[in-house]
Coordinates of all heavy atoms in Angstrom, one line a residue:
K9 N 2.7 21.7 9.3 CA 3.8 22.5 9.5 C 3.5 23.6 10.8 O 2.3 23.6 11.2 CB 4.2 23.4 8.3 CG 4.8 22.5 7.2 CD 5.0 23.4 6.0 CE 5.8 22.7 4.9 NZ 5.7 23.4 3.5
Y49 N 15.0 18.5 3.7 CA 14.8 19.5 2.6 C 16.1 19.7 1.9 O 16.4 20.7 1.1 CB 14.4 21.0 3.1 CG 12.9 21.1 3.4 CD1 12.4 21.5 4.7 CD2 12.0 20.8 2.3 CE1 10.9 21.7 4.8 CE2 10.6 20.9 2.5 CZ 10.2 21.5 3.7 OH 8.9 21.5 4.0
H52 N 16.4 21.2 -1.7 CA 16.3 22.6 -1.8 C 17.6 23.5 -1.3 O 17.6 24.6 -1.4 CB 15.1 23.2 -1.1 CG 13.9 22.6 -1.7 ND1 13.5 22.7 -3.0 CD2 12.9 21.9 -1.1 CE1 12.2 22.0 -3.2 NE2 11.8 21.4 -2.1
F57 N 15.1 30.3 -1.1 CA 14.1 30.2 -0.1 C 14.6 29.0 1.0 O 13.9 28.8 2.0 CB 12.7 29.8 -0.5 CG 12.6 28.5 -1.3 CD1 12.6 27.3 -0.8 CD2 12.7 28.6 -2.7 CE1 12.5 26.1 -1.6 CE2 12.7 27.4 -3.5 CZ 12.6 26.2 -3.0
L61 N 13.1 28.6 4.8 CA 12.3 27.2 4.9 C 12.8 26.5 6.2 O 12.0 25.9 6.9 CB 12.5 26.5 3.6 CG 11.8 25.1 3.5 CD1 10.4 25.3 3.5 CD2 12.3 24.5 2.1
R85 N -1.4 14.9 -2.2 CA -0.9 16.1 -2.9 C -2.2 17.0 -3.4 O -2.1 18.2 -3.2 CB 0.0 15.9 -4.0 CG 1.4 15.3 -3.7 CD 2.3 16.2 -3.1 NE 2.8 17.3 -3.9 CZ 3.8 18.1 -3.7 NH1 4.4 18.1 -2.5 NH2 4.1 18.9 -4.6
T91 N 1.8 24.1 -4.2 CA 2.8 24.7 -3.3 C 2.4 26.2 -3.0 O 2.4 26.6 -1.8 CB 4.1 24.6 -3.9 OG1 4.4 23.2 -4.2 CG2 5.2 25.1 -2.9
R92 N 2.0 26.9 -4.0 CA 1.7 28.3 -3.8 C 0.3 28.4 -3.6 O -0.7 28.2 -4.5 CB 2.1 29.2 -5.0 CG 3.5 29.4 -5.3 CD 3.7 30.3 -6.5 NE 5.2 30.4 -6.7 CZ 6.0 31.3 -6.0 NH1 5.4 32.1 -5.1 NH2 7.2 31.4 -6.1
R102 N -4.5 24.2 1.1 CA -3.7 25.5 0.9 C -4.5 26.6 0.4 O -4.3 27.8 0.7 CB -2.5 25.2 0.0 CG -1.3 24.4 0.8 CD -0.4 23.9 -0.1 NE 0.8 23.3 0.6 CZ 1.8 22.6 0.1 NH1 1.9 22.3 -1.3 NH2 2.9 22.1 0.7
V109 N 3.5 31.1 0.0 CA 4.2 29.9 -0.2 C 5.1 29.6 1.1 O 5.2 28.4 1.3 CB 5.1 30.0 -1.4 CG1 6.2 31.0 -1.3 CG2 5.5 28.7 -1.9
N112 N 2.6 27.7 3.9 CA 1.5 26.9 3.3 C 1.1 25.7 3.9 O 0.6 24.7 3.3 CB 2.1 26.6 1.8 CG 3.4 25.7 1.8 OD1 3.9 25.4 2.9 ND2 3.9 25.4 0.7
Ligands
DAT201 P1 5.9 21.3 -1.7 O1 5.9 21.7 -0.3 O2 4.6 21.7 -2.3 O3 6.3 19.9 -1.9 P2 8.5 22.2 -2.7 O4 9.0 20.8 -2.3 O5 8.8 22.6 -4.0 O6 6.9 22.3 -2.4 O7 9.1 23.2 -1.7 C1 9.3 23.0 -0.3 C2 8.7 24.1 0.5 O8 9.7 25.2 0.2 C3 7.4 24.7 0.0 O9 6.3 24.0 0.7 C4 7.4 26.2 0.4 C5 9.0 26.4 0.1 N1 9.1 27.0 -1.2 C6 9.0 26.4 -2.4 N2 9.3 27.1 -3.5 C7 9.3 28.3 -3.0 C8 9.6 29.7 -3.6 N3 9.8 29.9 -4.9 N4 9.6 30.6 -2.6 C9 9.6 30.5 -1.4 N5 9.4 29.3 -0.7 C10 9.2 28.2 -1.6

Side-chain angles (χ1 to χ4, degrees):
K9 290 175 176 174
Y49 280 129
H52 296 303
F57 58 84
L61 179 61
R85 292 284 295 187
T91 304
R92 289 183 180 282
R102 284 166 169 173
V109 69
N112 62 0

